[in-house]
Amino acid sequence: MTATIIDGKAFAARVREQVGEHVSRLKADHGITPGLAVVLVGADPASEVYVRSKGKMTVEVGMKSLEHRLEADTEEADLLALIAQLNADPAIHGILVQLPLPKHLNEDLVINAIDPAKDVDGFHISNVGLLGTGQKSMVPCTPLGCLMMLREHHGSLSGMDAVIIGRSNIVGKPMAQLLLNDSCTVTIAHSRTKDLAEVVRRADIVVAAVGRPEMVPGDWIKPGATIIDVGINRLDAPEKGEGKTRLVGDVDFASCVDVAGAITPVPGGVGPMTIACLLANTVTACCRANGLAEPEGLTA
Ligand code: NDP
């Protein structure tokens, strides 16, 4: 068997197009332009790249993008004051504080200072609780993107056995919650899980969010299972030239593609969906703030 490749890049382009159409309608019918504020503290090179690319795509779909760049030694009180100002600004519908923050800043405190209705990353404790109780919330972007791809591929996920490898607050746990809300039977595996291979072999759906290059081999996969590979790992690639690197996922694509029914590649799978879902969350937040109908298919 050779798996269907789930093309996250193409899917993300369709999601952005849908967001763009909704933004146009909000402008034309209501005179509202959704606004996303991204706050970057310090100059972490990977974060710089993400923030640039988020800003570019925000503008491309017709939304307003605001970037706030603060020095690495910014005091917590000053960051909290900026968040309070953005919370109070009616032109801003989404606020994202780029993580990780410099060590001297308390991430939980900062994230929980964001108005939950503008928390487009879905990390605020209120949104975590709402998702956990199956209520309307802002949903973390990466798991939301994974859910959209799974729904697109399978239609209903009801009754499927899902194994998520990884229990982080940003991917593993919200992914589990989303799949549970879609009536999967969910197992969360982590570094202390006994006989991980056997656990994964039971799964109709495997979501790998570990951060270990090519950790999941094909012989762990039930024939026909769907694999969502969240991992982004950069490896040296001397074969491409001196100093060159390549990206791989947490799944050994070469051996899994022969066994799985469907699989997301790295790059070009989950990655592009994350920013698309950030834009989707911003337009959703804007609609909710204005008491307007939310776009169909862009939320959990
Ligand atoms: P974390 O480091 O926060 O969590 C990793 C999880 O993997 C932990 O729960 C850990 O278990 C578990 N784990 C580690 N080693 C093993 C092992 N040997 N067997 C089973 N489980 C193990 O990572 P994130 O969730 O933040 O990210 C995971 C991956 O996803 C990374 O590669 C990251 O780059 C990528 N990512 C990609 C995104 C995208 O847009 N595509 C967005 C976010 C992340 P324990 O809790 O016991 O330590």
Side-chain angles (χ1 to χ4, degrees):
M1 178 187 296
T2 297
T4 301
I5 309 297
I6 300 178
D7 185 346
K9 204 171 160 193
F11 192 7
R14 290 202 299 279
V15 170
R16 291 198 305 274
E17 205 177 295
Q18 255 180 288
V19 170
E21 285 163 9
H22 211 82
V23 169
S24 300
R25 279 200 294 278
L26 281 171
K27 284 184 189 174
D29 299 347
H30 304 281
I32 300 168
T33 302
L36 172 64
V38 176
V39 180
L40 176 63
V41 186
D44 174 62
S47 296
E48 289 266 6
V49 173
Y50 287 133
V51 166
R52 253 201 314 277
S53 138
K54 282 167 187 171
K56 183 170 163 274
M57 292 194 185
T58 305
V59 171
E60 275 171 12
V61 295
M63 302 199 287
K64 193 163 64 181
S65 164
L66 272 105
E67 278 175 31
H68 291 269
R69 290 167 181 270
L70 307 182
E71 296 296 327
D73 60 357
T74 296
E75 297 207 4
E76 199 162 81
D78 293 331
L79 177 55
L80 293 174
L82 172 61
I83 291 173
Q85 182 196 319
L86 296 170
N87 283 344
D89 185 343
I92 297 297
H93 305 96
I95 303 169
L96 181 149
V97 176
Q98 184 65 43
L99 302 179
L101 288 172
K103 293 271 174 289
H104 67 286
L105 299 170
N106 179 336
E107 269 182 17
D108 289 337
L109 186 79
V110 170
I111 296 304
N112 290 325
I114 298 172
D115 177 348
K118 297 189 179 189
D119 168 38
V120 281
D121 251 343
F123 297 157
H124 190 289
I125 193 72
S126 298
N127 283 316
V128 175
L130 289 167
L131 179 63
T133 48
Q135 300 180 68
K136 193 185 265 193
S137 65
M138 296 308 302
V139 178
C141 304
T142 300
L144 177 58
C146 297
L147 180 74
M148 283 184 187
M149 290 193 285
L150 285 167
R151 283 180 176 168
E152 164 94 352
H153 186 72
H154 287 285
S156 169
L157 306 179
S158 180
M160 296 180 85
D161 283 317
V163 171
I164 297 150
I165 319 174
R167 57 173 162 180
S168 72
N169 289 338
I170 62 166
V171 188
K173 285 182 198 156
M175 187 75 246
Q177 207 58 64
L178 287 169
L179 292 175
L180 191 58
N181 291 349
D182 265 28
S183 299
C184 289
T185 302
V186 178
T187 303
I188 308 179
H190 46 76
S191 66
R192 309 291 174 89
T193 296
K194 282 184 280 179
D195 203 351
L196 183 60
E198 268 315 303
V199 172
V200 174
R201 277 188 197 111
R202 294 201 297 264
D204 303 310
I205 294 170
V206 180
V207 180
V210 186
R212 286 179 174 250
E214 300 173 327
M215 178 188 123
V216 178
D219 66 2
W220 288 14
I221 301 298
K222 175 158 112 179
T226 298
I227 303 175
I228 304 289
D229 191 351
V230 182
I232 301 178
N233 308 288
R234 195 169 282 284
L235 299 183
D236 290 337
E239 72 280 4
K240 288 167 72 179
E242 206 188 308
K244 295 286 183 197
T245 58
R246 67 190 172 99
L247 289 182
V248 299
D250 289 342
V251 165
D252 176 32
F253 188 88
S255 60
C256 287
V257 75
D258 289 334
V259 191
I263 185 168
T264 59
V266 177
V270 176
M273 285 299 288
T274 297
I275 295 187
C277 287
L278 172 68
L279 304 177
N281 276 349
T282 305
V283 82
T284 298
C286 176
C287 292
R288 288 179 186 170
N290 289 284
L292 299 168
E294 293 171 23
E296 297 246 331
L298 295 183
T299 48

